[in-house]
Amino acid sequence: MAAARGPVAVPREMRVPGVHGYAMRESVAAGGAIEFCVSADVPYGFEIARLGHDPDSPARDEVVHRFERGAPRVQPIHPGSCVVVEKGLRSGPREFTVEAWVRAWAFGRWQDVIAQMAYPEKCDFALAISPEGRAGFYFGDGGEFRGSWALVAEGTPLQKGQWHHLAATQSSGVRRVWVDGVLAGESRESEAIEGAEWSAPLRLGAGGNADAQAAAPRLASRSEDFLDGDLAMPALYGRALTAGEIAERFAQKGLRAAEGREVLGCWPLDEEKGDRVRDASSHRRHGRIANHGTWMIGGPSFDARVPRFGDYDPANDPERGHGLRFASDDLYDCGWEVTHRFRVPRDAKPGIYVGRLRFEQNGEEHLQHVTFVVRKARLRRKAPILVLCATNTWRAYSGTPFGKTSAKLKQVFGTHGTDNPAGDPPAFNFYRNHAAGQGTYQQGLRMPWPAAGPYVLYGGPTNYSHLMRAERFAQIWLEQAGYEFDVIADHDLHRDPDLLRGYQAFLINGHSEYWSMPMYRGLERYLAGGGNAIVLSGNSLFWRVSYNAEGTILECRKVDAPGDQLPPERRGECWHSQDGLRGGLTNECGMPGWKLIGLTTLGWNNQGNPKNFGPYVAERADHFLFNHPERVELKPGEKFGWTGRENETPLANGHEFDVRLSTLAALQEKPSPDGLSVPPDPGGMVRLANGIIPWKEGGAAFDYWFNAIKPQTDQGGEMIYWERAEGGRVFNAGSIGSGWALWVDPKLQALMRNVLHHFGVKR
């Protein structure tokens, strides 16, 4: 006979208007199958296309498959993180205590810290926070909600962003609420609740509303009243703790699990990764996290002001404690059913592909794109060049996965995304906090991805993009110039760091900002083995990322640089839950980008004004790369990497750009941190050209330690050739816009042909 299961805990449902889609993975090998999930409130067409030679229009794309027209079908999302405990309490104890440490991020609505509720029909108990930020407690008989059984603490409310210990007891009709070891509220009822039958689902970080639509014989409950906050050491007891015991639990700061026969459940939250939560009591009330939550934040005893430069190790900090961060808008996998499946032809050409959704709104045709990468077939020979698509960066800027669409082919997406639709579905990225203010440390890969569309711009008047469209220019030029190349996504290199073996040249393109340690080690081994890297990217290898084991969640803990999601006073949270290693800037995570590609970030400027962009100025015009096998016909001081007309884009230097360490050291205005200095330039490096950035038009520049500086010259990205002492050769153009300029400038094209020739690439 099967063991009895607890009541059903169904995630809350949100129906998002519009047409949205995503692929189940970012890349697929030719010959393999890829699945798509679409939600639509209107009929739509869906086709698969390889992007062609026109970056401004789908007119030259190669359509490889068209599906039958899709009927409207809205697939809901289920945002909000919490822990669902399968084995709840099934009889109300005569005496009872519930306790937890909690740090709230926002108030303004009811939030359940620990609850066994299916409001309003089946209400067992709840420890909660009121809209005004006060601790609340409900203890019921398992039936309908009765307001007289609810107690809200009096006095000073909780402080947002500060840990508080909450406890509530019930004994013989007397309910008490305690905040930080002090009695904060008490109520007495004429009738005592004894031996009540309880049947609602038990959750940490949420409560629930009864689901009237449920057809199951057992009560179903939709998770609601999510906690926007951090939770540590929640526990349940089958007796009422005394005032002294509660004061002692407060003094322990969440470092000791609850002990004793009367403990009905205690969750130390010390897993620090994964979706399983262990009950330390003998009752085995283990739980599973819905919508991931955020690990590695420390508990109430943790001093998160970890020194920036030091040897701090979370595993060796006895005062760190453990906590789990919840957000009412957490969503990392829509969980939609597959609506379309496509097997890529075995002879399909590698490149960037899209699933193109066509639909009408208000009488106008709209396009929405589901981007994915097609790799070479498994047994096909390698091309001479391997091109890396900066999909981690495309993902990092995907702030509004359900954003409003426009009938205009080109849309401008800001750092935070675009306009969110009615209902405010989840909208966060590595530059945009969760709705309640929690920093974003994770992004899900099974989500709509409109920021990665082929016509998404970052600067309207300049026609500029730093995401997928920025990478198309170099790929178009390679094809038009007759070069064969293969294409991979960032996660492909993360999953198999030795993919680079056997390629004559490895091209890092666009805005390759987010790198994992396996990716870094793969490039390091490739270069050490004599490989050749071409970098047409800026702000490259800047932030460290990691993935979960399934490759469905990207993690990044951004601290100590602009765009951070983690202020310095919480630097101790920058250790990743996926691998337990420090996150943040690659320069400070043991994987500095300059050690592999020679340059590091100088800064960024306004992308909407053509006057903010600039060309290169040739310096070593006598260098063999300017002369063999083709003469580029450049003189020292001559400009290139542009259209040849002032203040007209494309221009190579703009948005974000990189320079040598010695250049940063010369620009530094404040002293280096104690005991530290800017590393010297590696030997064997030659600066071929210097970029122009007109700083008088605005921008933000930084030294090696990310102190703001004010360049007194038009210093932009630098172009270098580097023969590494450790092995391998690097050509680095030092700017996001270099591929953009390659598309229009014959002199930069000739230089690139020479680079490819020197690296052994033939057409």
Side-chain angles (χ1 to χ4, degrees):
M1 181 176 177
R5 288 171 52 86
V8 179
V10 183
R12 67 164 173 163
E13 180 176 295
M14 178 182 288
R15 298 169 69 84
V16 181
V19 178
H20 312 280
Y22 62 91
M24 290 293 284
R25 46 186 173 154
E26 290 182 350
S27 76
V28 59
I34 187 165
E35 296 174 325
F36 301 90
C37 306
V38 175
S39 173
D41 57 7
V42 295
Y44 65 92
F46 190 51
E47 64 190 27
I48 306 296
R50 184 181 189 272
L51 297 179
H53 290 177
D54 185 352
D56 298 314
S57 160
R60 299 178 66 184
D61 294 350
E62 177 191 358
V63 177
V64 296
H65 184 76
R66 285 190 173 92
F67 293 91
E68 292 184 5
R69 190 163 180 80
R73 181 194 176 193
V74 175
Q75 301 206 56
I77 58 174
H78 304 278
S81 55
C82 65
V83 174
V84 179
V85 179
E86 178 68 22
K87 186 180 176 183
L89 278 63
R90 293 297 155 248
S91 60
R94 182 170 174 271
E95 294 192 351
F96 184 62
T97 300
V98 54
E99 67 155 337
W101 282 91
V102 64
R103 176 168 57 184
W105 282 87
F107 301 126
R109 59 178 179 81
W110 279 100
Q111 302 176 62
D112 284 338
V113 179
I114 313 175
Q116 195 165 294
M117 301 283 281
Y119 180 88
E121 284 93 345
K122 299 289 185 179
C123 299
D124 302 338
F125 77 89
L127 179 65
I129 301 173
S130 77
E132 297 76 28
R134 291 181 168 85
F137 177 48
Y138 183 87
F139 188 87
D141 61 1
E144 290 190 3
F145 181 84
R146 293 175 59 174
S148 63
W149 289 351
L151 171 63
V152 178
E154 302 171 352
T156 304
L158 309 181
Q159 298 299 304
K160 185 170 66 174
Q162 180 177 318
W163 282 104
H164 292 281
H165 181 256
L166 308 184
T169 63
Q170 195 290 138
S171 177
S172 301
V174 180
R175 298 177 178 85
R176 294 183 174 94
V177 175
W178 310 75
V179 177
D180 294 338
V182 177
L183 183 64
E186 179 178 296
S187 68
R188 296 176 181 269
E189 296 296 327
S190 57
E191 54 182 312
I193 301 172
E194 296 184 11
E197 292 186 5
W198 285 356
S199 59
L202 174 60
R203 301 175 180 88
L204 313 179
N209 287 346
D211 184 3
Q213 307 300 318
R218 292 172 294 112
L219 175 74
S221 172
R222 292 208 178 273
S223 299
E224 293 286 355
D225 298 328
F226 289 94
L227 174 66
D228 273 306
D230 305 339
L231 184 68
M233 202 58 77
L236 306 174
Y237 304 77
R239 68 179 180 88
L241 297 186
T242 66
E245 289 173 319
I246 290 173
E248 183 180 1
R249 292 295 289 166
F250 168 62
Q252 291 170 358
K253 294 187 175 181
L255 291 175
R256 289 182 57 183
E259 298 175 340
R261 289 184 309 166
E262 298 88 355
V263 176
L264 304 176
C266 178
W267 298 269
L269 302 177
D270 55 4
E271 289 82 1
E272 304 286 26
K273 66 183 299 184
D275 65 354
R276 299 295 295 173
V277 170
R278 173 184 61 91
D279 175 17
S281 81
S282 61
H283 295 278
R284 302 176 63 83
R285 290 191 167 93
H286 309 310
R288 183 180 294 275
I289 305 172
N291 284 323
H292 202 63
T294 302
W295 289 111
M296 291 296 288
I297 61 155
S301 62
F302 174 43
D303 184 353
R305 295 169 297 176
V306 170
R308 180 175 177 184
F309 303 105
D311 58 358
Y312 178 80
D313 182 349
N316 296 330
D317 181 359
E319 299 297 316
R320 184 177 179 89
H322 306 285
L324 180 58
R325 179 166 294 162
F326 298 110
S328 59
D329 59 350
D330 265 336
L331 185 67
Y332 305 98
D333 185 339
C334 287
W336 291 346
E337 292 182 12
V338 172
T339 54
H340 304 80
R341 189 175 186 273
F342 175 65
R343 183 167 292 280
V344 180
R346 187 169 295 276
D347 61 352
K349 198 171 185 179
I352 301 176
Y353 287 64
V354 293
R356 181 172 286 128
L357 293 155
R358 296 181 181 270
F359 56 97
E360 284 192 7
Q361 285 185 342
N362 301 319
E364 295 181 301
E365 184 180 66
H366 290 239
L367 299 182
Q368 188 73 282
H369 295 90
V370 181
T371 300
F372 64 102
V373 171
V374 171
R375 311 186 305 272
K376 75 174 189 66
R378 188 171 62 87
L379 299 180
R380 179 187 169 189
R381 68 171 180 83
K382 292 182 175 181
I385 306 168
L386 178 63
V387 178
L388 178 69
C389 291
T391 50
N392 288 344
T393 306
W394 307 351
R395 189 71 63 180
Y397 284 85
S398 186
T400 46
F402 309 100
K404 293 179 180 178
T405 59
S406 167
K408 295 180 180 179
L409 184 64
K410 293 182 179 179
Q411 288 183 262
V412 177
F413 276 50
T415 300
H416 290 176
T418 185
D419 293 336
N420 219 24
D424 286 329
F428 53 86
N429 66 6
F430 290 153
Y431 300 85
R432 176 175 181 163
N433 290 349
H434 286 264
Q438 304 96 319
T440 299
Y441 298 170
Q442 298 154 148
Q443 287 279 92
L445 274 64
R446 290 180 176 171
M447 301 278 291
W449 201 14
Y455 311 111
V456 170
L457 303 178
Y458 200 62
T462 58
N463 214 27
Y464 170 79
S465 171
H466 67 126
L467 299 178
M468 188 260 269
R469 183 174 181 271
E471 301 186 33
R472 294 198 59 205
F473 299 106
Q475 294 189 29
I476 291 171
W477 178 80
L478 286 171
E479 286 194 359
Q480 291 178 329
Y483 292 100
E484 291 185 42
F485 61 93
D486 294 333
V487 178
I488 59 172
D490 280 334
H491 186 252
D492 296 319
L493 182 56
H494 170 87
R495 182 171 43 85
D496 183 3
D498 291 326
L499 270 177
L500 307 184
R501 288 180 181 172
Y503 285 98
Q504 288 296 113
F506 176 52
L507 176 59
I508 301 170
N509 197 12
H511 192 181
S512 196
E513 181 179 3
Y514 293 82
W515 275 60
S516 71
M517 192 164 288
M519 293 171 64
Y520 184 91
R521 299 303 176 205
L523 177 56
E524 186 176 46
R525 288 194 295 271
Y526 170 73
L527 290 170
N532 302 300
I534 299 171
V535 184
L536 301 180
S537 169
N539 189 222
S540 306
L541 284 74
F542 187 74
W543 294 109
R544 184 178 94 83
V545 298
S546 61
Y547 288 88
N548 65 340
E550 297 76 20
T552 59
I553 294 177
L554 182 69
E555 183 173 13
C556 184
R557 306 263 175 149
K558 300 177 69 170
V559 66
D560 295 322
D564 59 25
Q565 293 282 282
L566 206 166
E569 60 268 23
R570 292 207 317 276
R571 189 179 293 118
E573 292 180 13
C574 78
W575 272 256
H576 283 219
S577 61
Q578 309 298 355
D579 57 19
L581 301 176
R582 181 188 168 124
L585 298 166
T586 57
N587 282 353
E588 298 171 18
C589 293
M591 46 180 286
W594 59 265
K595 280 195 172 183
L596 301 187
I597 61 172
L599 302 180
T600 194
T601 296
L602 170 60
W604 41 83
N605 65 353
N606 181 5
Q607 305 81 45
N609 181 0
K611 292 182 178 181
N612 279 155
F613 289 76
Y616 294 111
V617 177
E619 291 187 344
R620 289 292 306 275
D622 60 339
H623 194 272
F624 65 84
L625 286 179
F626 285 121
N627 294 281
H628 182 76
E630 298 182 47
R631 288 186 60 82
V632 180
E633 303 294 345
L634 280 171
K635 299 176 181 178
E638 188 174 349
K639 296 177 181 178
F640 69 106
W642 63 332
T643 63
R645 293 177 289 275
E646 297 288 342
N647 299 328
E648 179 181 283
T649 56
L651 284 160
N653 276 257
H655 189 189
E656 300 186 6
F657 26 84
D658 302 343
V659 296
R660 298 169 302 163
L661 296 168
S662 59
T663 301
L664 277 191
L667 292 169
Q668 186 169 322
E669 298 170 3
K670 295 181 179 179
S672 297
D674 290 345
L676 299 174
S677 60
V678 179
D681 288 338
M685 185 183 300
V686 177
R687 186 168 80 169
L688 303 176
N690 197 19
I692 293 177
I693 289 292
W695 290 104
K696 64 183 179 182
E697 299 292 338
F702 305 90
D703 66 18
Y704 186 80
W705 315 106
F706 266 83
N707 299 305
I709 56 176
K710 294 182 179 180
Q712 301 303 307
T713 66
D714 288 341
Q715 179 65 58
E718 297 181 310
M719 179 183 289
I720 64 161
Y721 171 70
W722 180 27
E723 295 187 353
R724 303 174 71 250
E726 301 89 347
R729 298 172 292 184
V730 175
F731 173 83
N732 193 336
S735 177
I736 295 174
S738 55
W740 193 31
L742 177 66
W743 187 52
V744 297
D745 184 3
K747 293 186 177 181
L748 187 54
Q749 293 168 3
L751 173 61
M752 185 55 56
R753 287 192 294 269
N754 287 350
V755 171
L756 290 168
H757 174 85
H758 184 60
F759 287 171
V761 176
K762 297 186 174 73
R763 288 186 278 179

